[in-house]
Amino acid sequence: MKTIRLNLKKRSYPICIGEGLLSKTGTLLKKLSLDKEAVIITNAYIKKRYGALLARSLGRENFTHTFYVVPDSEKAKSIKHCLNLINAISKYDKGKQIFFIALGGGVVGDLVGFIASIYKRGTAYVQIPTTLLAQIDSSIGGKTAIDLAVAKNLVGAFYQPKIVIVDTKLLRTLPKRQLQSGMAEAIKYAVIKDKALFSFLKNNYTKIMRLDKKALAYMEERCIRIKAGVVAKDEQEQKGVRTILNFGHTVGHALESAAGYRRYSHGEAIAIGMTCASRIAQHLGLLSDSDRSKIEELIELFGLPKQIKSLPIKRILNSLARDKKFIHAKNRFVLPTRIGTVIVKKNIPQNLIRQAILEN
């Protein structure tokens, strides 16, 4: 097991990475100052597959537990599901002292983190991400949120977990589309911060898709270290440092909400968003044709989409206008200047955004 510490003074916490860590969850949690009643929130598939293993691990260290199941989709992050879940938990939580466990992908992690941030004005929670995307990105850094119909993640808070437990063994049962979706975030890290990682992804495509242990371990650790390093410098995105983690997310989030959170997975939407951002950067003279081509080729290599199909441009632009990354009514894009380096640009002309979205 490797441990990466995200340094945030009193809110610091470990990110533990290794094979088979789910069965050691009780031992890892025993080291923390947590209450003894775990409220585990997950979806039906994950509960069936891993619920008993987690329950046994908690029981060995005298933690009690209960499960709550949410939909296996972005629907779980709706106001309706969020409030229903809080109501149910409040009825259960009588004379108890609870903490939350988010067992699932990015949707579960976002939802549980948000509930933890507001329940009793703040309740401890633990992240156990089960998808590649969640393991290398969304479970780390304390961004929590639920969705509104008009835009994704519009209601949320910064609220850090007590620990993130990354069990790489859980990826062995991950569907191919979910694995590909997670690779969008790995590509993001390579483009914004690590040219060597970019080359590694390109040269080790086959090993990664075959879930080679060494290739996965290197990739995950590198991505997590990048994320932890950026968050440590700018926890609440007030200094402009953490903003670079939004590469691909401006158009990506707009695309998700415009499609009703049904057509594209998060990673697929981010892949299209990265393509659009790279095109904008090229058109502004910030990115070479060669580097733009390399970025698009890597996205395509991992089977991720680059173009939007059968979705009205007007709907996408309307969703984009409601994006929370707007500042003083000006949009904000993270744009690559070369592989491994990005800048933040505000007020990109709408005609250029439209061109990048529609470009083939």
Side-chain angles (χ1 to χ4, degrees), residues 62-191:
N62 298 316
F63 288 100
T64 55
H65 73 276
T66 189
F67 282 93
Y68 286 90
V69 173
V70 297
D72 186 17
S73 70
E74 196 75 21
K75 289 180 181 179
K77 286 172 62 177
S78 69
I79 291 176
K80 177 183 176 181
H81 281 293
C82 179
L83 292 180
N84 285 345
L85 188 54
I86 290 171
N87 260 325
I89 291 167
S90 68
K91 292 174 183 177
Y92 171 79
D93 182 22
K94 185 178 180 180
K96 296 180 173 67
Q97 292 180 307
I98 68 169
F99 68 96
F100 296 105
I101 295 179
L103 177 65
V107 167
V108 169
D110 283 0
L111 173 67
V112 177
F114 178 68
I115 290 174
S117 76
I118 62 173
Y119 188 70
K120 294 185 175 180
R121 295 193 178 96
T123 301
Y125 80 110
V126 171
Q127 288 272 15
I128 307 180
T130 60
T131 65
L132 176 60
L133 190 150
Q135 288 188 357
I136 64 175
D137 187 73
S138 62
S139 67
I140 301 158
K143 274 191 175 181
T144 76
I146 58 173
D147 302 332
L148 298 184
V150 296
K152 182 181 171 77
N153 293 341
L154 208 55
V155 179
F158 288 95
Y159 193 67
Q160 302 297 341
K162 294 298 182 182
I163 188 173
V164 180
I165 301 172
V166 176
D167 185 347
T168 56
K169 190 176 181 180
L170 303 184
L171 301 183
R172 311 242 162 244
T173 58
L174 202 63
K176 183 179 179 181
R177 187 183 179 193
Q178 287 273 21
L179 181 61
Q180 290 170 316
S181 185
M183 286 309 303
E185 294 290 356
I187 293 168
K188 177 193 79 175
Y189 286 117
V191 174

Side-chain angles (χ1 to χ4, degrees), residues 78-354:
S78 69
I79 291 176
K80 177 183 176 181
H81 281 293
C82 179
L83 292 180
N84 285 345
L85 188 54
I86 290 171
N87 260 325
I89 291 167
S90 68
K91 292 174 183 177
Y92 171 79
D93 182 22
K94 185 178 180 180
K96 296 180 173 67
Q97 292 180 307
I98 68 169
F99 68 96
F100 296 105
I101 295 179
L103 177 65
V107 167
V108 169
D110 283 0
L111 173 67
V112 177
F114 178 68
I115 290 174
S117 76
I118 62 173
Y119 188 70
K120 294 185 175 180
R121 295 193 178 96
T123 301
Y125 80 110
V126 171
Q127 288 272 15
I128 307 180
T130 60
T131 65
L132 176 60
L133 190 150
Q135 288 188 357
I136 64 175
D137 187 73
S138 62
S139 67
I140 301 158
K143 274 191 175 181
T144 76
I146 58 173
D147 302 332
L148 298 184
V150 296
K152 182 181 171 77
N153 293 341
L154 208 55
V155 179
F158 288 95
Y159 193 67
Q160 302 297 341
K162 294 298 182 182
I163 188 173
V164 180
I165 301 172
V166 176
D167 185 347
T168 56
K169 190 176 181 180
L170 303 184
L171 301 183
R172 311 242 162 244
T173 58
L174 202 63
K176 183 179 179 181
R177 187 183 179 193
Q178 287 273 21
L179 181 61
Q180 290 170 316
S181 185
M183 286 309 303
E185 294 290 356
I187 293 168
K188 177 193 79 175
Y189 286 117
V191 174
I192 67 172
K193 207 73 175 174
D194 196 335
K195 187 176 181 179
L197 177 60
F198 191 95
S199 297
F200 178 85
L201 297 180
K202 180 181 177 182
N203 296 332
N204 290 272
Y205 157 76
T206 302
K207 288 183 178 180
I208 291 168
M209 294 308 294
R210 288 179 179 172
L211 300 175
D212 176 83
K213 288 184 181 181
K214 288 185 178 179
L216 275 178
Y218 173 84
M219 180 185 74
E220 289 210 85
E221 182 181 350
R222 186 60 201 141
C223 291
I224 290 169
R225 287 192 184 279
I226 292 171
K227 178 74 177 275
V230 170
V231 172
K233 293 176 182 176
D234 185 14
E235 180 185 4
Q236 297 193 8
E237 208 168 317
Q238 295 175 336
K239 302 175 183 177
V241 178
R242 185 167 178 163
T243 306
I244 66 172
L245 298 175
N246 291 327
F247 174 54
H249 287 60
T250 305
V251 169
H253 280 177
L255 178 57
E256 285 184 272
S257 58
Y261 307 111
R262 290 187 297 270
R263 187 174 305 177
Y264 297 99
S265 70
H266 177 68
E268 289 166 348
I270 298 314
I272 294 171
M274 290 190 293
T275 302
C276 291
S278 300
R279 291 168 179 171
I280 290 170
Q282 182 199 25
H283 291 315
L284 290 174
L286 300 171
L287 182 70
S288 69
D289 294 354
S290 173
D291 277 356
R292 173 194 155 173
S293 295
K294 289 176 182 176
I295 292 168
E296 292 198 21
E297 286 167 4
L298 189 60
I299 289 169
E300 195 169 27
L301 180 64
F302 281 96
L304 290 160
K306 298 187 300 178
Q307 279 87 32
I308 299 165
K309 295 180 180 178
S310 305
L311 195 63
I313 183 69
K314 184 177 180 181
R315 194 185 303 171
I316 299 168
L317 294 174
N318 284 341
S319 293
L320 188 65
R322 293 182 171 91
D323 188 273
K324 67 184 185 301
K325 291 180 282 297
F326 272 56
I327 297 178
H328 305 305
K330 294 181 180 180
N331 61 46
R332 186 171 51 157
F333 278 77
V334 180
L335 303 177
T337 56
R338 62 180 183 273
I339 292 169
T341 306
V342 292
I343 61 171
V344 180
K345 292 282 285 185
K346 297 177 184 177
N347 211 23
I348 302 298
Q350 190 172 84
N351 67 321
L352 187 53
I353 299 170
R354 178 189 289 267

